[in-house]
Amino acid sequence: ALSLASQLTPVLRSSKFRETGVLTPDEFVAAGDYLMQRYPSWQWSGGDAGKRVPYLPADKQCMVTKGVPCSQRLAEVERSAENVVMVEDEADGWVETQGIGDGNQQPK
């Protein structure tokens, strides 16, 4: 569906951001450069070579961020860690973990 939309939608040559919220390729690159300058966790990526678009630089196809803490996700991880029961099978050395209250079976 996205590739079909890309084929039918022309690449903007003049800014229509205020009217449509869509960036031109130059605006996208400038915004990405600004984002990287302000927030070093953001980086440019060339993405998958088979999905690159010709109107963007090969090394600036998309933006990625890594290692950014998220307080909501962290709280969920901490809460789920409190509900984990470890069951050891000493016969073969495997350890099984089961979450309580997350749809998994209750430990026996």
Side-chain angles (χ1 to χ4, degrees), residues 3-67:
S3 62
L4 179 61
S6 298
Q7 293 172 6
L8 298 175
T9 306
V11 176
L12 290 180
R13 300 289 175 214
S14 60
S15 182
K16 294 192 185 225
F17 181 74
R18 292 198 187 272
E19 296 86 10
T20 65
V22 178
L23 299 170
T24 66
D26 290 339
E27 289 171 326
F28 177 73
V29 171
D33 288 343
Y34 176 78
L35 189 62
M36 277 185 54
Q37 183 181 11
R38 282 287 286 192
Y39 306 100
S41 68
W42 284 96
Q43 297 294 316
W44 280 111
S45 174
D48 184 359
K51 295 181 180 179
R52 289 187 183 148
V53 292
Y55 50 84
L56 291 173
D59 62 339
K60 294 185 175 184
Q61 295 285 310
C62 61
M63 301 290 301
V64 294
T65 188
K66 296 180 182 177

Side-chain angles (χ1 to χ4, degrees), residues 65-80:
T65 188
K66 296 180 182 177
V68 178
C70 174
S71 60
Q72 181 181 11
R73 185 172 55 216
L74 180 59
E76 290 174 12
V77 169
E78 288 173 345
R79 189 171 45 254
S80 67

